[in-house]
Amino acid sequence: MGLLTLDGAPREGIDDHGIDVRPVAGALGAELHGVDLRNLDAQGVAAVRDLLHHYEVIFFPGADLSDFEQLQLARRFGELNIFPVARLRGVTEPCCTVITDGPDSPPEADDWHTDVTWIAEPPNYALLSAQVIPRRGGDTLWASMTAAYEALSPVMRRMIDDLDVVHDNTEFIRAMLRKMPDGPPARSLADALREAFPPVTHPLVRTHPDTGRQALFIAGGFMRYVEGMREAESDNLLGFLRRHIENAALQCRWRWSPGDLAIWDERSTNHRSAADHFPQERSIRRVEVSGERPYHRA
C-alpha cells in the first residue's frame, strides 16, 4: 500500500494501485476513485479491503452497479448472507434486498445500530447502492465504534472491556409487525423468529479480527441488558454509550446521488438513515456479507 503516514495508515492521495483516496470526515469514511469495481483482480480486492478496514466505510460515487454486479462484488468479500426472515420463508440463494420508503412506507431506520446482532454471527460487511434518491434529505450517517471506544477514558475502557450484552429480536419483530397486516401469518412469522433466533450474548467491546483494534459493539434497540448488572445499572451504562456515539466528531454523513455505492464494516461502525425525506420516495439496494462470532481479546 502506497501513500502511508508515519504510523503506517493510508492517507489522502493516489496509492500504489492507482486508487484516488479522498477522506470525507476526520473519524471515518473515504471516497475511492479510479476503481473498476466490475473487473477487480485479487490485488485490487485486497487493496480495497485494506482501505475499508482503515476508513471503515468507503464510497464509490456513480458506481451504477446492477443487482447482479453488486452481488458479484459482495462475493469478493466473503460468503453472502441470507436475511433471517428470508431464510425462514425458504430462500436458499442470496439476493439483494430493496428497501423503499415513500408516502405509504415511512422510514424507520433513524437510529444508530449495526445490523442483525440478534443472531450468533452478525454480518461482516454491507454494500448499499442508491437507486431512487429524494430531492432533499435521505442521507445516511455512519459512526466509528473504534473511535468511540478510543475516546473513552482508560478507566471506562477497563470497566467495560470484559462485559457481555444480551441481544434479541424484540425490536425487530415489533417493527416488522407494524408493516404487516395483523393476523395469523404475521403472528406465526414472529413466533418462528423467536424460536429460530433466541437471545444471544455478545461482548460489549469486540476485537476486529483483521486489524486487532477494539471497538464498541453497540446495536441500538437490539441490546437488552448487560449480563451481571442490575437493571438500572445496565440501562444507565447502555444509555451513556448510546449518547456517547451521537458525538458528531465520531461520524461521517453521505449525501446520495443515484448509482452511488457504499461499503461499510459492520464490525466497527454504526449507521443510521436520516429520516428527513418523508413522504418523498427513497429506494436503496442492500446485500450483506456473512460474519463470524464476535469476540473480545485484550
Side-chain angles (χ1 to χ4, degrees), residues 204-237:
L204 182 53
V205 177
R206 69 180 298 180
T207 303
H208 196 289
D210 295 293
T211 68
R213 299 179 73 186
Q214 312 291 1
L216 290 177
F217 194 28
I218 302 295
F222 302 151
M223 299 186 298
R224 305 314 302 167
Y225 58 88
V226 179
E227 283 195 331
M229 282 191 169
R230 293 186 172 90
E231 183 178 359
E233 295 169 338
S234 173
D235 289 348
N236 280 315
L237 176 58

Side-chain angles (χ1 to χ4, degrees), residues 68-297:
F68 174 77
E69 290 167 337
Q70 187 172 344
L71 284 168
Q72 290 299 97
L73 176 62
R75 284 191 175 94
R76 307 299 299 277
F77 290 86
E79 181 182 350
L80 299 191
N81 186 56
I82 299 175
F83 194 69
V85 174
R87 243 183 284 169
L88 289 178
R89 288 174 165 165
V91 174
T92 58
E93 291 296 324
C95 61
C96 291
T97 301
V98 178
I99 304 167
T100 300
D101 304 323
D104 300 320
S105 178
E108 292 191 348
D110 192 16
D111 61 321
W112 289 110
H113 65 285
T114 189
D115 291 320
V116 205
T117 64
W118 39 270
I119 63 177
E121 298 179 337
N124 275 356
Y125 307 108
L127 292 80
L128 199 65
S129 176
Q131 303 300 296
V132 178
I133 300 304
R135 289 182 59 193
R136 296 176 299 278
D139 299 356
T140 302
L141 296 84
W142 284 265
S144 170
M145 297 299 97
T146 309
Y149 175 78
E150 293 171 352
L152 296 171
S153 69
V155 172
M156 177 62 83
R157 292 200 297 266
R158 287 194 297 271
M159 187 185 86
I160 67 174
D161 272 347
D162 296 319
L163 296 179
D164 293 317
V165 177
V166 173
H167 298 233
D168 72 15
N169 52 23
T170 300
E171 289 301 319
F172 173 81
I173 290 172
R174 285 175 181 164
M176 179 189 72
L177 292 177
R178 285 196 295 269
K179 296 182 178 181
M180 297 179 66
D182 187 30
R187 291 191 287 272
S188 177
L189 179 57
D191 290 342
L193 277 167
R194 294 187 189 99
E195 182 177 356
F197 302 100
V200 62
T201 300
H202 293 309
L204 182 53
V205 177
R206 69 180 298 180
T207 303
H208 196 289
D210 295 293
T211 68
R213 299 179 73 186
Q214 312 291 1
L216 290 177
F217 194 28
I218 302 295
F222 302 151
M223 299 186 298
R224 305 314 302 167
Y225 58 88
V226 179
E227 283 195 331
M229 282 191 169
R230 293 186 172 90
E231 183 178 359
E233 295 169 338
S234 173
D235 289 348
N236 280 315
L237 176 58
L238 295 181
F240 164 76
L241 293 174
R242 288 186 179 107
R243 293 189 298 273
H244 174 62
I245 69 173
E246 292 175 355
N247 183 347
L250 304 173
Q251 303 168 14
C252 72
R253 184 177 186 125
W254 186 254
R255 170 60 181 160
W256 295 100
S257 293
D260 288 355
L261 177 75
I263 307 176
W264 69 93
D265 194 330
E266 296 268 20
R267 299 165 294 184
S268 62
T269 62
N270 266 212
H271 59 281
R272 67 184 294 177
S273 172
D276 56 354
H277 55 286
F278 182 78
Q280 301 172 88
E281 183 179 352
R282 177 182 184 266
S283 182
I284 53 176
R285 190 175 62 218
R286 184 181 66 194
V287 61
E288 293 176 330
V289 177
S290 297
E292 64 283 311
R293 190 72 187 246
Y295 65 90
H296 175 255
R297 182 177 298 146

